[in-house]
């Protein structure tokens, strides 16, 4: 099934909650027994709140790193009932539902949906993947910032939930190149063992937002032709680490493979840094002279700094 269009999810819609798991038609719901629920979420502007801080109401005009929030309503057994799409307006998003009495969970994932595809299968899963582009036969994934919310609630009367803060689940790698970027360098590939997909819900992995296991590299190819002959440049890439949960997030480690390519796609430099720490809502900065000896294969460790606020405490590792 396709995701339900936003125009079908206006205020006052009645969600089908009593379907059996074999998708039989439910009995009609008495609208007089429905309660109105209102939700307001925030916390996803460029101020980058810490993972465990509650976002305050904000009138900030800072650009949002996301443009869309995909809401999924779950029943008491954590099975998906319905999906609702909402655009981001400023630094907040609102949602209204009418529901009968019962226990529910609302999950929200905020992201930039410019290059994504989502799939909804009732009572089974809600799944989104970033669509790859091909550059010199490299699958290039431009992963956006991804924010999440997991809110359980009981319906017995009309209620309003405000100041619900979405938390960033993505990590970020910053490659700080201290030496001069050579004139033949056109692209840089940053590859990690990570994910290019996420779940709002899966029947078999109810708490997972990313799949528990992956041994494949996910690449991001970045055009650096405008940075030629410049030094002390920072190049960044968002990382969606494996086996992250809605109810708890974890530090993961991954090798980071770096390839520098010329305009024809020929690799002119390769480097691999092992066991790089990646933490949700945290910058890992890899810093050093990447091109110090372009004809020599270097494997020295990077210096790492970790920034849990995306502002200050950066993990830095030199190379």
């Amino acid at each position: 099934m396709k995701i339900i269009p936003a125009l079908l999810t206006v205020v006052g819609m009645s969600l089908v909650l009593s379907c059996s798991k074999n998708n039989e038609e439910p009995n009609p719901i008495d609208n007089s027994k429905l309660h109105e629920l209102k939700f307001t979420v925030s916390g996803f502007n460029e101020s980058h709140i810490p993972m465990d801080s509650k976002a305050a109401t904000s009138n900030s005009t800072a650009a949002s790193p996301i443009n869309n929030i995909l809401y999924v309503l779950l029943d008491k057994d954590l099975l998906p009932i319905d999906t609702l799409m909402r655009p981001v307006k400023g630094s907040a998003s609102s949602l209204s539902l009418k529901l009968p009495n019962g226990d529910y969970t609302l999950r929200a994932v905020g992201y930039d949906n410019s290059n994504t595809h989502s799939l909804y299968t009732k009572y089974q899963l809600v799944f989104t993947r970033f669509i790859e582009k091909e550059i010199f036969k490299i699958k290039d994934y431009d992963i956006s910032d991804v924010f999440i919310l997991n809110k359980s609630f009981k319906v017995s009367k009309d209620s309003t939930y405000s100041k619900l803060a979405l938390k960033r689940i993505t990590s970020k790698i910053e490659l700080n190149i201290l030496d001069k970027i050579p004139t033949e360098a056109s692209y840089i590939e940053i590859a990690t063992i990570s994910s290019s997909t996420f779940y709002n819900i899966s029947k078999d992995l109810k708490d997972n937002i990313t799949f528990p296991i992956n041994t494949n590299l996910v690449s991001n190819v970045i055009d650096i032709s405008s940075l030629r002959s410049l030094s002390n440049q920072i190049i960044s890439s968002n990382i969606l680490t494996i086996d992250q949960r809605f109810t708890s997030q974890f530090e993961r480690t991954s090798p980071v493979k770096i390839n520098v390519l010329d305009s024809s796609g020929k690799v002119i430099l390769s480097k691999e840094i092992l066991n790089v720490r990646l933490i949700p809502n945290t910058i890992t900065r890899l810093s050093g002279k990447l091109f110090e000896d372009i004809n020599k294969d270097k494997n020295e460790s990077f210096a790492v700094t970790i920034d849990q606020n995306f502002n200050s405490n950066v993990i830095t590792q030199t190379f």
Side-chain angles (χ1 to χ4, degrees):
M1 295 184 186
K2 294 183 179 179
I3 285 186
I4 297 173
L7 61 87
L8 297 181
T9 57
V10 295
V11 175
M13 71 168 289
S14 298
L15 298 178
V16 178
L17 300 179
S18 57
C19 285
S20 66
K21 296 178 185 179
N22 60 5
N23 288 333
E24 294 178 357
E25 288 298 319
N27 295 322
I29 294 174
D30 183 354
N31 288 342
S32 66
K33 296 181 180 180
L34 298 181
H35 301 288
E36 185 171 15
L37 286 301
K38 296 182 179 181
F39 301 86
T40 302
V41 300
S42 62
F44 41 84
N45 57 35
E46 288 295 350
S47 61
H48 302 304
I49 62 169
M51 277 298 293
D52 294 321
S53 295
K54 187 175 291 186
T57 301
S58 172
N59 294 318
S60 170
T61 58
S64 173
I66 65 176
N67 64 6
N68 177 79
I69 295 180
L70 175 58
Y71 295 92
V72 176
L73 184 66
L74 309 177
D75 66 13
K76 61 182 178 60
D77 297 316
L78 293 182
L79 294 174
I81 300 168
D82 225 333
T83 62
L84 307 100
M85 304 284 282
R86 288 291 185 272
V88 169
K89 297 180 179 180
S91 60
S93 178
S94 298
L95 177 71
S96 295
L97 303 172
K98 285 192 174 181
L99 301 172
N101 290 345
D103 295 316
Y104 303 92
T105 297
L106 182 69
R107 284 184 177 172
V109 180
Y111 57 101
D112 186 328
N113 67 348
S114 302
N115 63 331
T116 61
H117 174 73
S118 297
L119 174 68
Y120 166 52
T121 304
K122 192 169 187 178
Y123 291 121
Q124 297 293 322
L125 62 82
V126 182
F127 170 84
T128 300
R129 70 180 183 91
F130 289 91
I131 301 170
E132 73 275 11
K133 297 181 296 183
E134 189 167 294
I135 301 178
F136 303 122
K137 297 184 178 180
I138 301 170
K139 290 184 178 180
D140 169 34
Y141 294 90
D142 187 10
I143 307 295
S144 77
D145 279 293
V146 179
F147 294 78
I148 64 170
L149 171 74
N150 188 80
K151 175 66 176 177
S152 298
F153 60 97
K154 180 184 291 289
V155 174
S156 59
K157 61 181 180 179
D158 291 0
S159 302
T160 298
Y161 299 87
S162 61
K163 299 181 181 179
L164 299 175
L166 272 72
K167 301 188 294 186
R168 182 186 278 103
I169 192 69
T170 41
S171 310
K172 186 184 290 291
I173 285 180
E174 286 189 349
L175 184 61
N176 186 196
I177 303 173
L178 300 179
D179 51 347
K180 185 181 293 186
I181 297 174
T183 56
E184 62 266 39
S186 293
Y187 299 90
I188 190 162
E189 176 191 4
I190 301 174
T192 57
I193 294 176
S194 54
S195 181
S196 60
T197 62
F198 61 82
Y199 296 89
N200 284 68
I201 184 64
S202 167
K203 180 179 179 181
D204 299 319
L205 300 167
K206 290 186 178 180
D207 194 32
N208 276 73
I209 185 168
T210 54
F211 199 73
I213 301 171
N214 182 32
T215 58
N216 298 321
L217 291 170
V218 175
S219 292
N220 185 202
V221 180
I222 302 159
D223 187 341
I224 59 170
S225 57
S226 63
L227 305 180
R228 293 169 181 161
S229 301
L230 300 178
S231 58
N232 196 26
Q233 298 299 300
I234 293 179
I235 299 162
S236 64
S237 179
N238 288 320
I239 310 296
L240 192 54
T241 51
I242 62 173
D243 199 18
Q244 295 296 343
R245 316 289 176 84
F246 278 95
T247 55
S248 56
Q249 290 77 53
F250 307 94
E251 176 180 329
R252 303 298 182 202
T253 60
S254 170
V256 176
K257 293 188 176 182
I258 300 168
N259 288 319
V260 180
L261 298 83
D262 66 14
S263 59
S264 69
K266 178 184 176 182
V267 176
I268 61 175
L269 182 145
S270 293
K271 174 179 280 294
E272 181 175 5
I273 305 97
L274 300 176
N275 299 318
V276 174
R277 297 169 62 199
L278 298 169
I279 303 173
N281 197 39
T282 301
I283 294 173
T284 298
R285 183 171 296 161
L286 309 176
S287 180
K289 294 182 177 180
L290 184 62
F291 301 100
E292 189 173 38
D293 187 349
I294 202 169
N295 297 314
K296 181 181 177 182
D297 184 18
K298 293 174 59 183
N299 289 302
E300 289 87 350
S301 296
F302 284 35
V304 178
T305 305
I306 295 185
D307 179 2
Q308 292 186 320
N309 301 320
F310 270 30
N311 284 328
S312 53
N313 306 319
V314 183
I315 300 178
T316 299
Q317 180 174 321
T318 60
F319 57 87

